[in-house]
Each structure stands twice: as C-alpha cells, then as structure tokens.
Amino acid sequence: MAADNHLIHALRAASKARGDAPFATDAGGTVTTLGAFWEGADRAAAALVAMGVAPGDRVAVLAEKSVAALQVYLGTLMAGAVHLPLNTGYSVAEVGYFLSDATPRVLICDPARCGALTGVAAGLDRVLTLDADGGGSFADAVRQAEPIAAAVPRGSDDIAAFLYTSGTTGRSKGAMLTHGNLVSNARALRDLWAFTEHDVLIHALPIFHTHGLFVAVNVTLVAGGALLLHRQFDAAAVLADFPRATSLMGVPTVYTRLLAEPALTRAVAGPMRLFVSGSAPMLTDTHLKWQARTGHTILERYGMTETTMITSNPYDGVRKPGTVGLPLPGVEVRVTGPEGAILSPGQVGGVEMRGPNLFAGYWNMPEKTAEDMRPDGWFRTGDLGEIDAEGYLTIVGRSKDVVISGGFNIYPREIELLVDAIDGVAESAAFGVPDPDLGERVVLAVVREAGSTVTTAQIMEASSAALARYKQIRAVHLMDALPRNTMGKVQKAELRRMFG
Ligand code: MLC
Ligand code: AMP
C-alpha cells in the first residue's frame, strides 16, 4: 500500500513553508495564497469523503474556471478519487453520454447548467452546484467541512483522472491517466521550461483539457509559481497582464489573435520569459511574425490527452519553427511505416511514443486500447510525422480523421451520425477547411434523398441543438453525390479542395 498520495505529494511539495506566497489572482483581482488554496482543497477533500466518495470513485465537474474549481480537482485527488472534468460547452445529450459511461458518484456543476441536467444526472448519488464566484451547494459543504487530516494514499499506478477524447466511431473514449503519468509530465516540463517559484503564468485556457489543467496548473504548482486566472481568452485582457507575468501558454489561435492587437510591442512583451504553444499546429508564419514583433521565439510543444506532453522544443537551445521539438526526458518517440518498420530520419510515417506519461487505457474499452497500444508498450498517436537528423519531430498530418479547431478536437463521424439521422438526408461528410483564426473549421457536404426538400438551414439547426458550440457546422454544401475512390471511401481531401 502506498504510504502517500503520489500526485498530491508532488504538487504540494513546493508550497510547503510558503503559505503566504500568492498562488492565484482572479479576474477581479482577488489573490489566493498557496496556504489558503491548499486549505480549501483540504476542505473540498473532506466534503467529498463525507458525501461517501471512496477511492476510485469518479467525481464529474462541469464548472467554469475558478479557484474553487481547481480546489475540487485537488480535493478529488486527495480523497483518492478520479477527477472527471467536462467541457462547459457540452450539450445536455453530450453530458448525458459522459455520465452514463463514466458513472461518477457525484456531479459538481455550474448552477446555470444544473437545472437542464436533472434528467441525465438522475442516476447519480449527488448533484451539487459551484459557481465561479465561490457560491453554490458544494461551496457551502466545503466551508462547513474541517480540512482532511491526510490525503488518502494513492500509488503511481492508481487512476487520477478520466479525460474524454473524441473517437473515430463517434463515441468518446475516457482516457485513464494515472498519478504516475501526471507526476512525470509535470516534473519533466517544470525542469525543461525552467519554471520556478518566481514564475507567474497567464492562464486563459479551459481547465477541462490536458493543456489548461495538466500542463498549465500542474507545472505551476509543482514549481511553486503563481497563476493569473482569466475566465476565458480575451486578447486585450491577456496583453494587459504581460507586465506582471513571466509566461503564457496558448493554442495557436491565442497567438494569432494577440498579433492582431496593435498594443503587442517589443516593449510590452520583452520582460516576459516564455511563450509556449501547443494543441494544434502553429504556422511558421505565426512564429516569424511573433519573433519580429516581440523579439521572443515561441516554444512549441506537442502532446495529446492519452499521453500528456510528448515532445518540446528546448528552452536553452535551438527552437525550430514548424517542428515540435525533441522527446521529453524519459520519453521515446519513433516514426513507423505501414508494416510497423522503424523509419529513418526524414521519412514520413506514423508517430509512436512510449514513456512514463502514457495513459493506462480507455475506460471500459479494452478493444480500443488494444488497437492503439502495441504489446511492447508503444502507443500509436494517429499523427503523421518525421524526425530530422537532429532528432526534432515535425507533425505533417494526421492519419485519424479529426478536425482541430482553435485547439479543440472534433471528430467528423459524430457530426455525420447526427446529420444522417435527419429526415431527407441520404448521406453526409464532415471535414475541416483552413480557417485564419481557428486553424480549421467544420464544413459539411450533404446528399439529399430523392425528392427531399430539406434545406441547409434545417440541417444546421437540427445538428446545433445536439452539439457543443465549438463543434458546430460553419457551412453546408448540397451535392448530388459524395466523391468516392474505387474502394468506395469518401474522398475528404477532394471535398477540402472543392470547398476549402
Ligand atoms: C469557440 N468557438 C469555437 C471555438 N471556440 N468554434 C470552433 N472552434 C473553437 N475552438 C465558437 C464559439 O462558441 C462562438 O460561437 C464562436 O466560435 C466565436 O467564439 P469566440 O468568442 O471567437 O471564441 P473564443 O471563446 O474566444 O474561443 C476561442 C479560443 C478557444 C481559441 C480561445 O476555442 C479556446 O480556448 N481554445 C483552447 C482549447 C484547448 O485548450 N485545447 C487543448 C486541448 S488538450 P457562436 O456561434 O456562439 O458565435 C490537447 C493536448 C495538447 O489538445 O497537446 O495540448
Ligand atoms: P487531444 O486528443 O485533444 O489531446 O489532441 C491531441 C492532438 O493535437 C494530437 O494528436 C495532435 O494531432 C494535435 N497537436 C497537439 N499539439 C500539436 C502541435 N504542437 N502541432 C501539431 N499538432 C498538435
């Protein structure tokens, strides 16, 4: 039996004896010290245990970014339970799927969303509210709880979190991440990116994904640094924080939107220490514009939900625009051909990785896990890439049919299944086309049944109710037939060429 709680031990070590140091400053300027932050997390843990949450139970959270929401994350870990964050933009039907698949014991949700979820949350033990200003029934329970005496012991192989990632079949898969996965990645990134207790990170990303939670929050905590919390990304507000920050993490859209701000100058950005980008490919053009405007070279890294971070450009050393850098210490990366042969530098193939950051598998989907995980521990990422002579990886495409819009992944199959079910639709194909702001946006080609009068507006309307906003179809094109190859497979590249 583990004597300690592996992840909490790692995340909390740098806070010891620094209780008065600032940890989080929210949009209203309220500062929470490290001491107050952890005390709140201790109380959240006790409140969850008092509600009957036991080791291994899932605690689902659908809440806006706030200090209290971060305390729920850590409190859940301290209770020995599994953190299950959900995108606050999910539709009721989407949330219903996650609740039925992960069967959490408790759901903590934004009061604005809770009412509509009554039906889909009916099977849960408890549904509690938490708003971004620290109110709600869960917040009340936290205030009344005595701090937990000690975190429930958990070892490195115990599950810390479920993060849902969309699937090629249209059904999302719960990636199970262990305490060991998250500890190894947080420490590796802290050391690689030289994060210390003097760092102040601007945090304007959602906290229901790897980037905003396990990269931004875990790295800051493990280093003992501080966060400037933004409710959501607003370019002017982020820029206004540069003088009191050291670092920023963003998806490429964050950087292109900042570049559109006339106030972004070398003088404003100069004192910052580090700009990190990831979650989607950054154009070399954006790298070069950022260098010219600010004098800084963006540090691009690459990762995914199942693996957290895999590669990173160096902090000291050459950051090569267009590449995602070198494998993190302890992580192995290789590129393979269709038969699994390892390819030489410069050859394009499937990117595979192996390391302490690789997840434990998909919840309740052993067959899906086996599809992507080789018996010797190598994981097929589904990305296509090449490694250069110096070991830098470049992502050149994806073998999986996914659209990445503003750093959010969208699986076309999920949209096609919905649209195909609309009366009058014979078949559909969803695909991504380039978008100057979001990188890619979703477009749909539809073939109607003979005699059908269903309109593009009706198709957009029928699908929008069931999907989170970020997955919405931006344009519908009616066609007589979808372009197919001789195997009968829809040619999405051809559709992109026609409508891109
Ligand atoms: C918002 N919208 C999007 C969208 N974000 N549509 C498509 N793709 C997106 N990413 C919708 C809104 O609902 C709105 O719809 C309209 O687009 C315009 O909204 P906006 O106000 O301009 O967008 P904004 O809210 O500013 O969001 C843009 C963004 C955000 C880029 C800041 O999408 C974001 O925070 N992305 C980060 C995602 C992320 O953290 N990914 C990491 C995954 S982890 P309407 O119709 O209402 O006007 C991972 C692993 C790794 O990938 O390596 O990190
Ligand atoms: P997700 O499944 O949401 O975690 O998204 C992971 C995917 O995002 C990866 O498989 C890549 O396709 C993509 N990705 C992440 N970082 C980068 C990057 N720096 N460059 C290109 N693609 C990236």
Side-chain angles (χ1 to χ4, degrees):
M1 171 103 171
D4 209 339
N5 184 303
H6 191 56
L7 180 53
I8 291 297
H9 178 86
L11 295 181
R12 200 165 188 164
S15 304
K16 291 269 152 68
R18 298 187 54 243
D20 292 337
F23 170 60
T25 305
D26 69 17
T30 303
V31 178
T32 305
T33 62
L34 277 170
F37 178 71
W38 281 106
E39 198 204 299
D42 288 339
R43 287 180 194 276
L48 290 168
V49 170
M51 286 170 201
V53 169
D57 283 347
R58 275 76 60 203
V59 175
V61 186
L62 185 99
E64 296 302 337
K65 186 180 335 144
S66 68
V67 168
L70 293 177
Q71 287 165 332
V72 170
Y73 159 51
L74 296 165
T76 299
L77 292 170
M78 272 190 250
V82 176
H83 180 57
L84 167 59
L86 295 171
N87 188 328
T88 46
Y90 283 143
S91 69
V92 172
E94 287 167 327
V95 174
Y97 168 75
F98 297 116
L99 297 182
S100 65
D101 190 63
T103 59
R105 184 172 287 266
V106 173
L107 167 67
I108 297 169
C109 69
D110 197 299
R113 296 295 313 279
C114 255
L117 298 175
T118 321
V120 295
L124 275 66
D125 277 11
R126 307 282 286 257
V127 178
L128 297 123
T129 56
L130 181 71
D131 67 38
D133 298 317
S137 58
F138 185 72
D140 291 341
V142 170
R143 271 188 284 276
Q144 282 156 24
E146 286 298 323
I148 198 167
V152 172
R154 295 268 88 187
S156 65
D157 291 340
D158 286 318
I159 305 300
F162 278 15
L163 255 63
Y164 273 84
T165 148
S166 332
T168 40
T169 55
R171 270 186 75 207
S172 289
K173 304 170 283 187
M176 299 187 287
L177 291 148
T178 67
H179 280 242
N181 293 154
L182 301 179
V183 169
S184 72
N185 221 237
R187 287 185 174 149
L189 296 175
R190 172 197 60 191
D191 297 345
L192 203 64
W193 297 343
F195 267 82
T196 69
E197 61 192 47
H198 303 298
D199 269 294
V200 180
L201 175 74
I202 301 174
H203 192 323
L205 292 166
I207 54 167
F208 42 74
H209 277 312
T210 295
H211 197 162
L213 190 62
F214 301 142
V215 185
V217 174
N218 284 5
V219 169
T220 301
L221 276 172
V222 88
L227 295 171
L228 301 176
L229 293 180
H230 289 237
R231 284 270 166 96
Q232 67 273 314
F233 175 72
D234 174 85
V238 163
L239 207 48
D241 260 351
F242 277 21
R244 54 180 188 150
T246 63
S247 44
L248 173 72
M249 293 181 188
V251 297
T253 303
V254 161
Y255 291 99
T256 51
R257 287 193 187 175
L258 283 170
L259 278 166
E261 292 289 312
L264 177 73
T265 60
R266 195 172 273 249
V268 170
M272 291 274 281
R273 179 177 79 77
L274 180 63
F275 295 94
V276 179
S277 177
S279 306
M282 175 167 268
L283 298 175
T284 299
D285 178 61
T286 311
H287 272 286
L288 298 179
K289 283 188 174 138
W290 193 267
Q291 266 172 344
R293 274 281 277 290
T294 69
H296 283 281
T297 304
I298 291 171
L299 188 157
E300 187 169 358
R301 90 319 178 263
Y302 157 67
M304 61 192 299
T305 301
E306 290 89 335
T307 62
T308 60
M309 298 306 103
I310 303 171
T311 67
S312 170
N313 272 281
Y315 184 71
D316 294 313
V318 183
R319 299 180 196 167
K320 293 190 193 176
T323 82
V324 293
L326 305 156
L328 299 192
V331 176
E332 297 170 89
V333 175
R334 68 185 189 188
V335 171
T336 61
E339 309 298 329
I342 299 166
L343 302 181
S344 308
Q347 290 183 298
V348 174
V351 177
E352 300 189 7
M353 65 72 63
R354 185 162 77 168
N357 50 340
L358 180 59
F359 76 142
Y362 298 112
W363 166 250
N364 273 347
M365 290 188 186
E367 71 296 346
K368 292 273 171 220
T369 308
E371 265 173 35
D372 298 335
M373 198 94 81
R374 294 187 188 276
D376 55 358
W378 285 92
F379 176 70
R380 282 191 275 235
T381 62
D383 290 311
L384 299 174
E386 64 179 273
I387 297 174
D388 72 12
E390 288 166 310
Y392 285 66
L393 178 69
T394 299
I395 302 296
V396 300
R398 296 165 218 138
S399 56
K400 53 196 179 191
D401 188 20
V402 64
V403 180
I404 305 188
S405 182
F408 284 128
N409 287 12
I410 304 161
Y411 271 86
R413 193 77 202 119
E414 184 183 356
I415 298 172
E416 291 160 4
L417 287 172
L418 264 171
V419 173
D420 291 352
I422 298 173
D423 261 357
V425 169
E427 59 172 351
S428 66
F431 51 97
V433 300
D435 183 276
D437 180 38
L438 297 166
E440 290 182 300
R441 65 175 182 276
V442 178
V443 169
L444 187 79
V446 173
V447 177
R448 290 182 294 188
E449 282 165 358
S452 160
T453 53
V454 66
T455 64
T456 56
Q458 284 166 335
I459 293 169
M460 301 259 261
E461 204 183 296
S463 56
S464 70
L467 293 170
R469 293 291 308 151
Y470 73 92
K471 296 180 196 166
Q472 306 286 301
I473 302 157
R474 301 305 174 107
V476 180
H477 301 281
L478 298 176
M479 300 183 83
D480 293 333
L482 296 176
R484 291 182 186 274
N485 64 13
T486 48
M487 309 283 289
K489 199 171 177 316
V490 175
Q491 300 288 78
K492 295 221 170 155
E494 176 62 13
L495 288 169
R496 272 190 285 275
R497 200 188 53 71
M498 294 168 74
F499 301 115

